[in-house]
Amino acid sequence: VTATYDFAGRPQELRFSTGASDAEGVFRLKSALRDPDRNTIYLLEGDVAGFRDKPSYDGAMIMRIASALPAEGAAPQQGQAQKPAEAPADGAPSAEPNPGAEANLSAFELKGELKATPDHAELPAFEIAIHSKGRSQMMKGKLALDFGADAKAAGELAASWIDVDTLLAAAAPANAQSEPSTAYVLNAAAERALDAAASVGDGALTVKLDQASIGGDLVGALDLAVAAEDGVVTVERLNAELPGENRIEASGRLTRGEGGPVFEGPIKLEGSKLKTLARWAAGDREMSGQATVGAFTLSAKTTIGAGNLMLDDASGELSGTKFSGALHYRGGE
């Protein structure tokens, strides 16, 4: 079968074929669904059962998205996106990578085994390949989705290295900074987390990265666990090794304030190179030599976002001197 139709005002192209049913009503399905406006193609090849009762699918899935990136310093133009590779004539998925991927192409591919019914889908083990600005990145994970009255999602992601700066620039090229600051990257990531939370009634995600490029420097041993409910993101756990042999432990809530995402919760920082940490987090600002000598610790109830930083019940030690108190810093011109 080959069909074209409109979905949510967008043209869709569907092609599929089936094999004969066996004695138990199981048949083989090969399909390709293309969404040209979004430069997306979905490929399925697997077994369908329970067609007269509750249909189920068990097989392979591939999703590909391809779009052109704007030239350096230029905004993207309409009609500039590149179509994904043509589907095979019989609708069968192909695991072959797109040949000749160019440096100005942003390509995303997800593939793995899919088990699905009309109200539930599960990817027990999938791989994501992202190609952007001539660099390829790989992630692995698993995902479960419920399509009830309140959508639910639970997933895990892991990778040895991810360039968060590049991924965010590829996701929003019109607003991307050529050399994004740490504050910009973290704010953009928080915005996307809140957008995702608004689309699911109940969600959970864990992320473990050996290394991640954030704000132009490397963050190591990133261990993040978040949950979403009613549009609020709860950071259950955030542990990471920050630039300059420093560490962070945090938990709390991420909400949308008037000026953007706002995080509230306890944060603990410790390390031995405060100047490196401050330069990464806040830019190349002047610091006294004494403040950069020796180990430091800082624990506080923190509110940060929308241009504000508040530390309540703060305590710590810097260069052998213990301190406690509170701080409110308001950013701006």
Side-chain angles (χ1 to χ4, degrees):
V1 173
T2 300
T4 58
Y5 57 95
D6 285 344
F7 175 77
R10 305 191 312 275
Q12 309 281 293
E13 302 171 8
L14 174 65
R15 181 179 301 163
F16 70 89
S17 62
T18 70
S21 299
D22 63 16
E24 297 179 352
V26 179
F27 61 88
R28 194 73 174 169
L29 169 72
K30 293 183 179 181
S31 71
L33 171 62
R34 180 177 288 109
D35 187 334
D37 286 359
R38 294 187 175 180
N39 302 301
T40 303
I41 185 170
Y42 303 87
L43 305 172
L44 298 176
E45 181 176 358
D47 294 329
V48 176
F51 204 64
R52 295 181 179 178
D53 181 21
K54 185 178 182 178
S56 65
Y57 172 83
D58 188 348
M61 171 189 173
I62 297 178
M63 178 177 70
R64 293 194 184 113
I65 303 173
S67 61
L69 293 174
E72 290 296 329
Q77 301 295 319
Q78 274 195 321
Q80 202 177 28
Q82 176 174 328
K83 276 194 173 185
E86 290 293 320
D90 62 357
S94 171
E96 292 297 318
N98 294 334
E102 299 179 1
N104 68 338
L105 178 69
S106 172
F108 171 96
E109 180 179 84
L110 181 151
K111 60 182 179 180
E113 293 298 311
L114 171 65
K115 302 178 186 295
T117 63
D119 56 10
H120 181 78
E122 187 173 343
L123 287 157
F126 65 81
E127 293 183 357
I128 294 176
I130 303 169
H131 179 85
S132 181
K133 296 187 177 181
R135 309 176 79 176
S136 294
Q137 304 179 54
M138 296 288 298
M139 288 185 282
K140 294 184 178 181
K142 60 183 181 180
L143 177 66
L145 299 168
D146 288 328
F147 311 113
D150 296 319
K152 296 182 179 181
E156 297 180 9
L157 282 174
S160 57
W161 173 80
I162 289 296
D163 188 340
V164 178
D165 299 344
T166 298
L167 294 184
L168 289 174
N175 303 320
Q177 297 181 0
S178 57
E179 294 184 1
S181 65
T182 301
Y184 171 85
V185 172
L186 296 179
N187 189 75
E191 286 276 11
R192 294 180 68 83
L194 289 169
D195 289 343
S199 66
V200 296
D202 187 2
L205 175 67
T206 62
V207 180
K208 293 191 176 182
L209 306 176
D210 293 343
Q211 285 188 325
S213 179
I214 299 175
D217 211 332
L218 287 180
V219 173
L222 178 63
D223 181 7
L224 173 67
V226 297
E229 186 175 4
D230 298 329
V232 175
V233 176
T234 300
V235 180
E236 298 176 346
R237 179 181 68 252
L238 170 60
N239 300 324
E241 296 176 357
L242 303 181
E245 301 175 8
N246 302 298
R247 287 191 55 79
I248 184 173
E249 296 178 10
S251 60
R253 287 161 50 92
L254 184 64
T255 57
R256 195 181 298 279
E258 292 184 2
V262 176
F263 171 83
E264 296 180 68
I267 288 181
K268 179 181 179 181
L269 289 166
E270 59 182 1
S272 58
K273 296 181 180 178
L274 180 59
K275 186 174 184 178
T276 302
L277 177 63
R279 178 180 293 136
W280 173 73
D284 194 7
R285 299 169 186 260
E286 290 294 327
M287 293 186 68
S288 69
Q290 185 64 25
T292 65
V293 178
F296 76 93
T297 62
L298 171 64
S299 298
K301 295 178 181 178
T302 306
T303 302
I304 184 170
N308 286 316
L309 169 64
M310 295 181 65
L311 303 179
D312 292 317
D313 297 332
S315 64
E317 185 173 336
L318 176 62
S319 301
T321 300
K322 293 184 178 182
F323 63 86
S324 62
L327 170 70
H328 182 192
Y329 174 81
R330 184 184 300 275
E333 296 296 331

